[in-house]
Amino acid sequence: METTAPFEFKQYVSILKSTGRKAGTLRELREAIAAVSSKSLFHHTCQYFVKGHALEYTNDFAHWAGESLEERALAEQLSNIDSYAFTHIDDLRAALLSVIDDYLLRFPEPRAAMAGDAFHFNETVSFVFSAGIRVQNLAEFLIALRYLDPSALYYHFHEARVRLGSDDLSAWVEAALGREGLAQKIRAIDPFMHSIEGIRELLVEAVEEEVRRGMEVL
């Protein structure tokens, strides 16, 4: 008898560390982005959504440019960079620098941040371990999604894009359960348009609909 491969949810915990580096102007930010560690760059871009920031932006650099420098056009351009689309962090670094360099060519003297509003570069040490939740069918999957810790949801929906190129929830739904339509619905959820809780609501809604449809068939 063929058995379904279970999906094991992971818990995701990060410990924040200061790099001691900060920027008060756009040029200082540019120089720091060029020099900081890959971990710091990853924290300020790919880990943006786990911190519950404003959805108007997609990374800390865009957030700071928009809110502290009040350079809205630059903030929009930085937000348009898909942090998960790069296979190597240095390619993401180059994309950020390219946007800033182009902006500085057109606007060479942007305002500085107010005192006390400098950008502080941090990095994290992350730990991933079992959340103690293994599911083997759609009903169990639905219950887990409802009560899963937000950081675990971030790990499987956002950070998996760095590791796998896509979220790993839809991959399991398709490969283990054969639910191609549901997998497509999950993949269609835009990670940049919703908070973690917003994504949870959309996931639960999609899975609930699939469960209900299965009951109707029975």
Side-chain angles (χ1 to χ4, degrees):
M1 180 177 175
E2 188 175 349
T3 58
T4 303
F7 185 88
E8 181 174 7
F9 285 95
K10 303 289 187 181
Q11 192 67 35
Y12 182 82
V13 176
S14 293
I15 297 175
L16 189 66
K17 293 171 43 183
S18 172
T19 67
R21 186 154 192 166
K22 63 181 180 180
T25 68
L26 184 56
R27 292 188 185 280
E28 290 174 356
L29 183 77
R30 191 257 181 238
E31 295 309 310
I33 289 175
V36 294
S37 68
S38 298
K39 284 184 177 179
S40 181
L41 206 59
F42 184 82
H43 169 67
H44 291 296
T45 53
C46 295
Q47 292 184 328
Y48 180 78
F49 290 93
V50 78
K51 293 178 278 188
H53 286 321
L55 288 176
E56 184 178 353
Y57 311 105
T58 63
N59 59 70
D60 288 334
F61 305 125
H63 193 129
W64 189 71
E67 299 299 314
S68 297
L69 300 184
E70 298 183 352
E71 299 290 345
R72 307 292 183 189
L74 173 62
E76 182 177 349
Q77 292 173 45
L78 290 171
S79 282
N80 287 338
I81 297 174
D82 182 351
S83 304
Y84 303 109
F86 299 89
T87 55
H88 196 283
I89 198 72
D90 281 336
D91 294 332
L92 171 58
R93 190 193 309 270
L96 292 165
L97 293 176
S98 176
V99 167
I100 294 174
D101 286 345
D102 181 65
Y103 194 83
L104 284 171
L105 281 176
R106 291 181 289 127
F107 306 100
E109 298 296 335
R111 56 161 287 180
M114 300 288 285
D117 205 14
F119 187 100
H120 293 265
F121 282 83
N122 299 314
E123 61 184 39
T124 58
V125 177
S126 299
F127 301 91
V128 179
F129 50 92
S130 174
I133 304 172
R134 289 163 62 94
V135 300
Q136 283 191 292
N137 57 54
L138 215 50
E140 293 175 353
F141 187 59
L142 176 59
I143 293 170
L145 289 175
R146 282 177 171 154
Y147 301 106
L148 197 66
D149 186 89
S151 64
L153 200 54
Y154 161 80
Y155 177 75
H156 289 292
F157 193 79
H158 289 84
E159 188 158 318
R161 295 167 194 275
V162 178
R163 293 179 282 111
L164 308 171
S166 177
D167 71 278
D168 53 11
L169 303 174
S170 63
W172 178 75
V173 162
E174 183 170 19
L177 302 182
R179 306 273 184 164
E180 184 178 349
L182 176 58
Q184 289 177 354
K185 283 185 180 179
I186 293 174
R187 292 190 189 110
I189 298 173
D190 189 336
F192 297 119
M193 295 297 293
H194 310 281
S195 65
I196 293 286
E197 291 305 322
I199 287 170
R200 185 199 303 275
E201 289 178 14
L202 292 172
L203 288 170
V204 167
E205 182 181 327
V207 177
E208 263 184 342
E209 184 180 339
E210 190 79 6
V211 170
R212 197 175 301 118
R213 185 179 298 118
M215 293 173 68
E216 289 171 355
V217 170
L218 290 174

Short mmCIF file of all heavy atoms in Angstrom, two decimals, residues 60-124:
data_model
loop_
_atom_site.label_atom_id
_atom_site.label_comp_id
_atom_site.label_asym_id
_atom_site.label_seq_id
_atom_site.Cartn_x
_atom_site.Cartn_y
_atom_site.Cartn_z
N ASP A 60 14.33 46.67 4.22
CA ASP A 60 14.65 47.72 5.18
C ASP A 60 15.25 48.96 4.50
O ASP A 60 15.06 50.08 4.98
CB ASP A 60 15.64 47.20 6.23
CG ASP A 60 14.99 46.23 7.20
OD1 ASP A 60 13.76 46.33 7.40
OD2 ASP A 60 15.71 45.37 7.74
N PHE A 61 15.98 48.76 3.41
CA PHE A 61 16.61 49.90 2.74
C PHE A 61 15.54 50.80 2.11
O PHE A 61 15.63 52.03 2.20
CB PHE A 61 17.59 49.40 1.68
CG PHE A 61 18.63 48.45 2.22
CD1 PHE A 61 18.80 47.19 1.66
CD2 PHE A 61 19.41 48.80 3.32
CE1 PHE A 61 19.74 46.31 2.17
CE2 PHE A 61 20.34 47.92 3.84
CZ PHE A 61 20.51 46.67 3.26
N ALA A 62 14.56 50.19 1.49
CA ALA A 62 13.46 50.96 0.91
C ALA A 62 12.68 51.67 2.01
O ALA A 62 12.30 52.84 1.88
CB ALA A 62 12.55 50.04 0.11
N HIS A 63 12.46 50.96 3.11
CA HIS A 63 11.74 51.53 4.25
C HIS A 63 12.46 52.78 4.77
O HIS A 63 11.85 53.83 4.99
CB HIS A 63 11.64 50.47 5.35
CG HIS A 63 10.68 50.82 6.43
ND1 HIS A 63 9.70 49.97 6.86
CD2 HIS A 63 10.53 51.94 7.19
CE1 HIS A 63 8.99 50.52 7.82
NE2 HIS A 63 9.48 51.72 8.04
N TRP A 64 13.76 52.68 4.95
CA TRP A 64 14.54 53.81 5.47
C TRP A 64 14.59 54.97 4.47
O TRP A 64 14.45 56.14 4.85
CB TRP A 64 15.96 53.35 5.80
CG TRP A 64 16.79 54.36 6.55
CD1 TRP A 64 16.63 54.76 7.84
CD2 TRP A 64 17.89 55.09 6.03
NE1 TRP A 64 17.60 55.69 8.16
CE2 TRP A 64 18.38 55.91 7.08
CE3 TRP A 64 18.54 55.12 4.79
CZ2 TRP A 64 19.48 56.77 6.93
CZ3 TRP A 64 19.63 55.97 4.63
CH2 TRP A 64 20.09 56.79 5.69
N ALA A 65 14.77 54.64 3.21
CA ALA A 65 14.79 55.69 2.18
C ALA A 65 13.47 56.43 2.14
O ALA A 65 13.43 57.66 1.98
CB ALA A 65 15.10 55.08 0.81
N GLY A 66 12.37 55.72 2.29
CA GLY A 66 11.06 56.35 2.23
C GLY A 66 10.69 57.12 3.48
O GLY A 66 10.17 58.23 3.41
N GLU A 67 10.99 56.53 4.65
CA GLU A 67 10.54 57.12 5.91
C GLU A 67 11.54 58.08 6.53
O GLU A 67 11.16 59.09 7.13
CB GLU A 67 10.21 56.00 6.90
CG GLU A 67 9.10 55.08 6.43
CD GLU A 67 7.79 55.80 6.20
OE1 GLU A 67 7.40 56.60 7.07
OE2 GLU A 67 7.16 55.58 5.14
N SER A 68 12.82 57.79 6.43
CA SER A 68 13.83 58.61 7.11
C SER A 68 14.45 59.64 6.18
O SER A 68 14.77 60.75 6.60
CB SER A 68 14.92 57.71 7.70
OG SER A 68 14.37 56.86 8.68
N LEU A 69 14.68 59.28 4.91
CA LEU A 69 15.24 60.24 3.94
C LEU A 69 14.13 60.96 3.17
O LEU A 69 14.41 61.95 2.50
CB LEU A 69 16.17 59.52 2.96
CG LEU A 69 17.38 58.80 3.55
CD1 LEU A 69 18.25 58.23 2.42
CD2 LEU A 69 18.21 59.74 4.43
N GLU A 70 12.93 60.41 3.24
CA GLU A 70 11.78 60.94 2.49
C GLU A 70 12.05 60.98 1.00
O GLU A 70 11.60 61.89 0.29
CB GLU A 70 11.38 62.32 3.03
CG GLU A 70 10.94 62.27 4.49
CD GLU A 70 10.47 63.61 5.01
OE1 GLU A 70 10.63 64.61 4.29
OE2 GLU A 70 9.95 63.65 6.14
N GLU A 71 12.82 60.01 0.51
CA GLU A 71 13.08 59.86 -0.92
C GLU A 71 12.13 58.77 -1.44
O GLU A 71 12.49 57.60 -1.59
CB GLU A 71 14.56 59.46 -1.16
CG GLU A 71 15.57 60.46 -0.65
CD GLU A 71 15.59 61.76 -1.47
OE1 GLU A 71 15.01 61.78 -2.57
OE2 GLU A 71 16.16 62.75 -0.97
N ARG A 72 10.89 59.17 -1.69
CA ARG A 72 9.83 58.21 -2.03
C ARG A 72 10.10 57.48 -3.35
O ARG A 72 9.82 56.29 -3.48
CB ARG A 72 8.49 58.92 -2.11
CG ARG A 72 8.13 59.74 -0.88
CD ARG A 72 7.87 58.86 0.32
NE ARG A 72 7.47 59.68 1.47
CZ ARG A 72 7.34 59.22 2.70
NH1 ARG A 72 7.58 57.94 2.95
NH2 ARG A 72 6.99 60.01 3.69
N ALA A 73 10.62 58.21 -4.34
CA ALA A 73 10.88 57.57 -5.63
C ALA A 73 11.95 56.48 -5.49
O ALA A 73 11.83 55.39 -6.06
CB ALA A 73 11.32 58.61 -6.65
N LEU A 74 12.99 56.78 -4.73
CA LEU A 74 14.04 55.78 -4.49
C LEU A 74 13.47 54.59 -3.72
O LEU A 74 13.77 53.43 -4.03
CB LEU A 74 15.18 56.41 -3.71
CG LEU A 74 16.27 55.45 -3.24
CD1 LEU A 74 16.97 54.78 -4.45
CD2 LEU A 74 17.30 56.18 -2.38
N ALA A 75 12.64 54.88 -2.71
CA ALA A 75 12.04 53.80 -1.93
C ALA A 75 11.23 52.87 -2.82
O ALA A 75 11.28 51.63 -2.66
CB ALA A 75 11.16 54.39 -0.83
N GLU A 76 10.51 53.43 -3.75
CA GLU A 76 9.71 52.60 -4.66
C GLU A 76 10.60 51.74 -5.54
O GLU A 76 10.32 50.55 -5.75
CB GLU A 76 8.82 53.50 -5.52
CG GLU A 76 7.91 52.72 -6.46
CD GLU A 76 6.99 53.62 -7.25
OE1 GLU A 76 6.91 54.83 -6.93
OE2 GLU A 76 6.35 53.12 -8.20
N GLN A 77 11.69 52.33 -6.04
CA GLN A 77 12.60 51.55 -6.89
C GLN A 77 13.27 50.41 -6.11
O GLN A 77 13.42 49.31 -6.62
CB GLN A 77 13.66 52.47 -7.48
CG GLN A 77 13.11 53.47 -8.49
CD GLN A 77 14.15 54.48 -8.91
OE1 GLN A 77 15.29 54.13 -9.21
NE2 GLN A 77 13.77 55.74 -8.94
N LEU A 78 13.66 50.70 -4.88
CA LEU A 78 14.27 49.65 -4.05
C LEU A 78 13.26 48.56 -3.71
O LEU A 78 13.60 47.37 -3.63
CB LEU A 78 14.85 50.26 -2.78
CG LEU A 78 16.10 51.15 -2.97
CD1 LEU A 78 16.44 51.86 -1.66
CD2 LEU A 78 17.30 50.33 -3.44
N SER A 79 12.01 48.96 -3.51
CA SER A 79 10.96 47.98 -3.20
C SER A 79 10.63 47.10 -4.39
O SER A 79 10.13 45.98 -4.23
CB SER A 79 9.68 48.70 -2.73
OG SER A 79 9.81 49.11 -1.39
N ASN A 80 10.90 47.59 -5.58
CA ASN A 80 10.61 46.80 -6.78
C ASN A 80 11.60 45.65 -6.98
O ASN A 80 11.39 44.79 -7.85
CB ASN A 80 10.62 47.70 -8.02
CG ASN A 80 9.39 48.59 -8.09
OD1 ASN A 80 8.36 48.28 -7.48
ND2 ASN A 80 9.49 49.69 -8.81
N ILE A 81 12.68 45.64 -6.21
CA ILE A 81 13.66 44.55 -6.33
C ILE A 81 13.11 43.33 -5.58
O ILE A 81 12.80 43.41 -4.39
CB ILE A 81 15.02 44.97 -5.73
CG1 ILE A 81 15.60 46.14 -6.53
CG2 ILE A 81 15.99 43.79 -5.71
CD1 ILE A 81 16.86 46.71 -5.93
N ASP A 82 13.00 42.22 -6.26
CA ASP A 82 12.53 40.97 -5.66
C ASP A 82 13.72 40.27 -4.97
O ASP A 82 14.55 39.67 -5.64
CB ASP A 82 11.92 40.06 -6.73
CG ASP A 82 11.38 38.76 -6.16
OD1 ASP A 82 11.62 38.48 -4.97
OD2 ASP A 82 10.73 38.01 -6.91
N SER A 83 13.77 40.37 -3.66
CA SER A 83 14.91 39.82 -2.92
C SER A 83 15.05 38.32 -3.08
O SER A 83 16.15 37.77 -2.93
CB SER A 83 14.76 40.14 -1.42
OG SER A 83 14.62 41.53 -1.22
N TYR A 84 13.95 37.65 -3.39
CA TYR A 84 13.98 36.18 -3.49
C TYR A 84 14.31 35.69 -4.90
O TYR A 84 14.39 34.49 -5.13
CB TYR A 84 12.63 35.61 -3.07
CG TYR A 84 12.22 36.01 -1.68
CD1 TYR A 84 11.20 36.92 -1.47
CD2 TYR A 84 12.89 35.50 -0.56
CE1 TYR A 84 10.83 37.31 -0.19
CE2 TYR A 84 12.53 35.89 0.72
CZ TYR A 84 11.50 36.79 0.89
OH TYR A 84 11.15 37.17 2.17
N ALA A 85 14.50 36.63 -5.83
CA ALA A 85 14.72 36.23 -7.22
C ALA A 85 16.19 35.95 -7.52
O ALA A 85 16.51 35.52 -8.63
CB ALA A 85 14.21 37.33 -8.15
N PHE A 86 17.07 36.17 -6.55
CA PHE A 86 18.50 36.04 -6.81
C PHE A 86 19.03 34.75 -6.19
O PHE A 86 18.72 34.43 -5.03
CB PHE A 86 19.25 37.24 -6.23
CG PHE A 86 18.83 38.55 -6.82
CD1 PHE A 86 17.78 39.28 -6.26
CD2 PHE A 86 19.45 39.05 -7.96
CE1 PHE A 86 17.37 40.48 -6.82
CE2 PHE A 86 19.04 40.25 -8.53
CZ PHE A 86 18.00 40.97 -7.96
N THR A 87 19.83 34.03 -6.95
CA THR A 87 20.40 32.78 -6.44
C THR A 87 21.64 33.05 -5.59
O THR A 87 22.04 32.19 -4.80
CB THR A 87 20.76 31.83 -7.59
OG1 THR A 87 21.64 32.52 -8.50
CG2 THR A 87 19.51 31.39 -8.33
N HIS A 88 22.24 34.21 -5.75
CA HIS A 88 23.41 34.55 -4.94
C HIS A 88 23.21 35.93 -4.34
O HIS A 88 22.76 36.85 -5.02
CB HIS A 88 24.69 34.52 -5.78
CG HIS A 88 25.94 34.47 -4.95
ND1 HIS A 88 26.43 35.58 -4.31
CD2 HIS A 88 26.75 33.44 -4.63
CE1 HIS A 88 27.52 35.24 -3.63
NE2 HIS A 88 27.74 33.94 -3.80
N ILE A 89 23.54 36.08 -3.07
CA ILE A 89 23.29 37.33 -2.35
C ILE A 89 24.06 38.50 -2.97
O ILE A 89 23.60 39.64 -2.93
CB ILE A 89 23.64 37.16 -0.85
CG1 ILE A 89 22.99 38.27 -0.01
CG2 ILE A 89 25.12 37.11 -0.65
CD1 ILE A 89 21.51 38.16 0.16
N ASP A 90 25.21 38.24 -3.58
CA ASP A 90 25.98 39.33 -4.19
C ASP A 90 25.28 39.89 -5.43
O ASP A 90 25.51 41.05 -5.80
CB ASP A 90 27.40 38.87 -4.54
CG ASP A 90 28.29 38.86 -3.30
OD1 ASP A 90 27.98 39.61 -2.34
OD2 ASP A 90 29.27 38.11 -3.29
N ASP A 91 24.46 39.08 -6.08
CA ASP A 91 23.67 39.59 -7.20
C ASP A 91 22.60 40.55 -6.69
O ASP A 91 22.29 41.55 -7.33
CB ASP A 91 23.03 38.43 -7.98
CG ASP A 91 24.07 37.57 -8.66
OD1 ASP A 91 25.15 38.10 -9.01
OD2 ASP A 91 23.81 36.37 -8.85
N LEU A 92 22.02 40.22 -5.53
CA LEU A 92 21.06 41.13 -4.90
C LEU A 92 21.76 42.41 -4.48
O LEU A 92 21.24 43.52 -4.67
CB LEU A 92 20.42 40.45 -3.69
CG LEU A 92 19.55 41.32 -2.78
CD1 LEU A 92 18.40 41.97 -3.56
CD2 LEU A 92 18.99 40.48 -1.62
N ARG A 93 22.95 42.27 -3.93
CA ARG A 93 23.74 43.45 -3.53
C ARG A 93 23.98 44.37 -4.74
O ARG A 93 23.81 45.59 -4.65
CB ARG A 93 25.09 42.98 -2.95
CG ARG A 93 25.90 44.11 -2.28
CD ARG A 93 27.34 43.67 -2.03
NE ARG A 93 27.48 42.40 -1.34
CZ ARG A 93 27.55 42.27 -0.01
NH1 ARG A 93 27.50 43.33 0.75
NH2 ARG A 93 27.68 41.07 0.55
N ALA A 94 24.36 43.77 -5.86
CA ALA A 94 24.62 44.55 -7.07
C ALA A 94 23.36 45.27 -7.56
O ALA A 94 23.44 46.42 -8.02
CB ALA A 94 25.16 43.63 -8.17
N ALA A 95 22.22 44.62 -7.44
CA ALA A 95 20.95 45.25 -7.87
C ALA A 95 20.62 46.45 -7.00
O ALA A 95 20.19 47.50 -7.50
CB ALA A 95 19.83 44.22 -7.82
N LEU A 96 20.82 46.31 -5.69
CA LEU A 96 20.57 47.44 -4.78
C LEU A 96 21.50 48.60 -5.08
O LEU A 96 21.08 49.76 -5.15
CB LEU A 96 20.77 46.97 -3.33
CG LEU A 96 19.76 45.97 -2.78
CD1 LEU A 96 20.27 45.33 -1.49
CD2 LEU A 96 18.41 46.64 -2.52
N LEU A 97 22.78 48.29 -5.27
CA LEU A 97 23.77 49.34 -5.56
C LEU A 97 23.47 50.03 -6.88
O LEU A 97 23.65 51.25 -7.02
CB LEU A 97 25.18 48.74 -5.58
CG LEU A 97 25.69 48.22 -4.22
CD1 LEU A 97 27.05 47.57 -4.39
CD2 LEU A 97 25.76 49.36 -3.20
N SER A 98 23.02 49.28 -7.86
CA SER A 98 22.72 49.85 -9.17
C SER A 98 21.59 50.88 -9.06
O SER A 98 21.68 51.98 -9.65
CB SER A 98 22.32 48.74 -10.15
OG SER A 98 21.93 49.29 -11.39
N VAL A 99 20.56 50.55 -8.29
CA VAL A 99 19.44 51.49 -8.11
C VAL A 99 19.92 52.75 -7.39
O VAL A 99 19.59 53.88 -7.78
CB VAL A 99 18.30 50.81 -7.31
CG1 VAL A 99 17.28 51.85 -6.84
CG2 VAL A 99 17.61 49.77 -8.18
N ILE A 100 20.70 52.58 -6.34
CA ILE A 100 21.18 53.74 -5.57
C ILE A 100 22.13 54.59 -6.41
O ILE A 100 22.06 55.83 -6.40
CB ILE A 100 21.85 53.27 -4.26
CG1 ILE A 100 20.81 52.62 -3.35
CG2 ILE A 100 22.51 54.45 -3.55
CD1 ILE A 100 21.38 51.99 -2.09
N ASP A 101 23.04 53.95 -7.13
CA ASP A 101 23.99 54.70 -7.97
C ASP A 101 23.26 55.51 -9.02
O ASP A 101 23.61 56.68 -9.28
CB ASP A 101 24.98 53.73 -8.64
CG ASP A 101 26.00 53.17 -7.66
OD1 ASP A 101 26.13 53.74 -6.57
OD2 ASP A 101 26.65 52.16 -8.00
N ASP A 102 22.27 54.92 -9.63
CA ASP A 102 21.50 55.62 -10.65
C ASP A 102 20.77 56.82 -10.03
O ASP A 102 20.71 57.90 -10.62
CB ASP A 102 20.50 54.66 -11.30
CG ASP A 102 19.69 55.33 -12.38
OD1 ASP A 102 20.28 55.73 -13.40
OD2 ASP A 102 18.46 55.47 -12.20
N TYR A 103 20.24 56.61 -8.84
CA TYR A 103 19.52 57.69 -8.16
C TYR A 103 20.47 58.84 -7.81
O TYR A 103 20.13 60.02 -7.96
CB TYR A 103 18.85 57.15 -6.90
CG TYR A 103 17.82 58.08 -6.32
CD1 TYR A 103 16.53 58.12 -6.81
CD2 TYR A 103 18.15 58.94 -5.26
CE1 TYR A 103 15.58 59.00 -6.28
CE2 TYR A 103 17.21 59.81 -4.73
CZ TYR A 103 15.92 59.83 -5.24
OH TYR A 103 14.99 60.70 -4.71
N LEU A 104 21.67 58.50 -7.35
CA LEU A 104 22.64 59.54 -6.96
C LEU A 104 23.14 60.32 -8.18
O LEU A 104 23.52 61.49 -8.04
CB LEU A 104 23.81 58.89 -6.21
CG LEU A 104 23.52 58.48 -4.77
CD1 LEU A 104 24.66 57.66 -4.19
CD2 LEU A 104 23.27 59.71 -3.90
N LEU A 105 23.16 59.69 -9.33
CA LEU A 105 23.54 60.41 -10.54
C LEU A 105 22.52 61.50 -10.86
O LEU A 105 22.88 62.60 -11.30
CB LEU A 105 23.65 59.44 -11.72
CG LEU A 105 24.93 58.60 -11.81
CD1 LEU A 105 24.84 57.61 -12.97
CD2 LEU A 105 26.15 59.51 -11.99
N ARG A 106 21.25 61.18 -10.63
CA ARG A 106 20.19 62.13 -10.96
C ARG A 106 19.94 63.13 -9.82
O ARG A 106 19.57 64.27 -10.06
CB ARG A 106 18.90 61.37 -11.29
CG ARG A 106 18.99 60.60 -12.62
CD ARG A 106 17.71 59.87 -12.93
NE ARG A 106 17.51 58.74 -12.04
CZ ARG A 106 16.41 58.53 -11.33
NH1 ARG A 106 15.41 59.38 -11.40
NH2 ARG A 106 16.30 57.47 -10.55
N PHE A 107 20.15 62.67 -8.59
CA PHE A 107 19.92 63.52 -7.42
C PHE A 107 21.14 63.40 -6.49
O PHE A 107 21.12 62.62 -5.53
CB PHE A 107 18.64 63.10 -6.69
CG PHE A 107 17.43 63.03 -7.58
CD1 PHE A 107 16.97 61.81 -8.07
CD2 PHE A 107 16.76 64.19 -7.95
CE1 PHE A 107 15.86 61.74 -8.90
CE2 PHE A 107 15.64 64.14 -8.78
CZ PHE A 107 15.20 62.91 -9.27
N PRO A 108 22.21 64.12 -6.79
CA PRO A 108 23.48 63.90 -6.09
C PRO A 108 23.50 64.36 -4.63
O PRO A 108 24.41 63.98 -3.89
CB PRO A 108 24.49 64.72 -6.92
CG PRO A 108 23.67 65.71 -7.68
CD PRO A 108 22.33 65.08 -7.90
N GLU A 109 22.53 65.16 -4.20
CA GLU A 109 22.56 65.67 -2.83
C GLU A 109 21.25 65.39 -2.10
O GLU A 109 20.56 66.32 -1.68
CB GLU A 109 22.86 67.18 -2.85
CG GLU A 109 24.20 67.56 -3.43
CD GLU A 109 25.38 67.03 -2.63
OE1 GLU A 109 25.20 66.78 -1.41
OE2 GLU A 109 26.45 66.83 -3.20
N PRO A 110 20.89 64.15 -1.92
CA PRO A 110 19.67 63.87 -1.14
C PRO A 110 19.85 64.27 0.31
O PRO A 110 20.98 64.32 0.81
CB PRO A 110 19.50 62.35 -1.30
CG PRO A 110 20.88 61.85 -1.54
CD PRO A 110 21.58 62.91 -2.33
N ARG A 111 18.76 64.54 0.99
CA ARG A 111 18.84 64.98 2.38
C ARG A 111 19.38 63.86 3.27
O ARG A 111 19.28 62.67 2.93
CB ARG A 111 17.46 65.39 2.88
CG ARG A 111 16.40 64.34 2.74
CD ARG A 111 15.22 64.60 3.64
NE ARG A 111 15.58 64.32 5.04
CZ ARG A 111 14.73 64.46 6.05
NH1 ARG A 111 13.50 64.88 5.83
NH2 ARG A 111 15.10 64.17 7.29
N ALA A 112 19.94 64.26 4.41
CA ALA A 112 20.42 63.28 5.40
C ALA A 112 19.29 62.94 6.36
O ALA A 112 18.31 63.67 6.47
CB ALA A 112 21.60 63.86 6.16
N ALA A 113 19.43 61.83 7.04
CA ALA A 113 18.44 61.45 8.05
C ALA A 113 18.55 62.39 9.25
O ALA A 113 19.62 62.94 9.53
CB ALA A 113 18.68 60.01 8.49
N MET A 114 17.45 62.57 9.94
CA MET A 114 17.47 63.38 11.14
C MET A 114 18.33 62.70 12.21
O MET A 114 18.54 61.48 12.18
CB MET A 114 16.04 63.56 11.67
CG MET A 114 15.09 64.24 10.70
SD MET A 114 15.43 65.99 10.50
CE MET A 114 14.78 66.62 12.04
N ALA A 115 18.80 63.49 13.15
CA ALA A 115 19.61 62.94 14.25
C ALA A 115 18.83 61.83 14.97
O ALA A 115 17.64 61.99 15.25
CB ALA A 115 19.97 64.05 15.23
N GLY A 116 19.48 60.72 15.22
CA GLY A 116 18.83 59.61 15.89
C GLY A 116 18.06 58.69 14.98
O GLY A 116 17.43 57.74 15.43
N ASP A 117 18.08 58.98 13.67
CA ASP A 117 17.31 58.17 12.72
C ASP A 117 18.22 57.50 11.70
O ASP A 117 17.81 57.26 10.56
CB ASP A 117 16.29 59.07 12.01
CG ASP A 117 15.09 58.26 11.51
OD1 ASP A 117 14.95 57.10 11.93
OD2 ASP A 117 14.32 58.79 10.70
N ALA A 118 19.46 57.23 12.09
CA ALA A 118 20.40 56.57 11.19
C ALA A 118 19.97 55.12 10.93
O ALA A 118 19.22 54.53 11.71
CB ALA A 118 21.80 56.60 11.79
N PHE A 119 20.46 54.58 9.82
CA PHE A 119 20.20 53.16 9.51
C PHE A 119 21.27 52.32 10.21
O PHE A 119 22.47 52.50 9.98
CB PHE A 119 20.27 52.93 7.99
CG PHE A 119 19.85 51.55 7.58
CD1 PHE A 119 18.57 51.32 7.09
CD2 PHE A 119 20.72 50.47 7.70
CE1 PHE A 119 18.16 50.05 6.72
CE2 PHE A 119 20.32 49.19 7.32
CZ PHE A 119 19.05 48.99 6.84
N HIS A 120 20.86 51.40 11.03
CA HIS A 120 21.79 50.54 11.76
C HIS A 120 21.82 49.16 11.09
O HIS A 120 20.78 48.52 10.96
CB HIS A 120 21.38 50.41 13.22
CG HIS A 120 21.51 51.69 13.98
ND1 HIS A 120 22.62 52.00 14.73
CD2 HIS A 120 20.68 52.78 14.08
CE1 HIS A 120 22.48 53.19 15.28
NE2 HIS A 120 21.31 53.69 14.89
N PHE A 121 22.99 48.74 10.70
CA PHE A 121 23.13 47.44 10.04
C PHE A 121 23.25 46.33 11.08
O PHE A 121 24.12 46.36 11.96
CB PHE A 121 24.37 47.44 9.14
CG PHE A 121 24.15 48.15 7.84
CD1 PHE A 121 24.28 49.53 7.76
CD2 PHE A 121 23.78 47.46 6.70
CE1 PHE A 121 24.05 50.21 6.58
CE2 PHE A 121 23.55 48.12 5.51
CZ PHE A 121 23.69 49.51 5.44
N ASN A 122 22.36 45.37 10.96
CA ASN A 122 22.36 44.21 11.84
C ASN A 122 22.50 42.94 11.00
O ASN A 122 22.40 42.96 9.77
CB ASN A 122 21.06 44.15 12.63
CG ASN A 122 20.86 45.37 13.51
OD1 ASN A 122 21.79 45.79 14.20
ND2 ASN A 122 19.68 45.95 13.48
N GLU A 123 22.70 41.85 11.64
CA GLU A 123 22.65 40.54 11.00
C GLU A 123 22.09 39.55 12.02
O GLU A 123 21.99 39.86 13.20
CB GLU A 123 24.02 40.10 10.50
CG GLU A 123 25.08 39.95 11.57
CD GLU A 123 26.44 39.60 10.97
OE1 GLU A 123 26.77 40.15 9.91
OE2 GLU A 123 27.16 38.79 11.58
N THR A 124 21.69 38.41 11.54
CA THR A 124 21.08 37.44 12.45
C THR A 124 21.78 36.08 12.36
O THR A 124 22.37 35.74 11.33
CB THR A 124 19.59 37.22 12.13
OG1 THR A 124 19.47 36.79 10.77
CG2 THR A 124 18.79 38.49 12.33
#
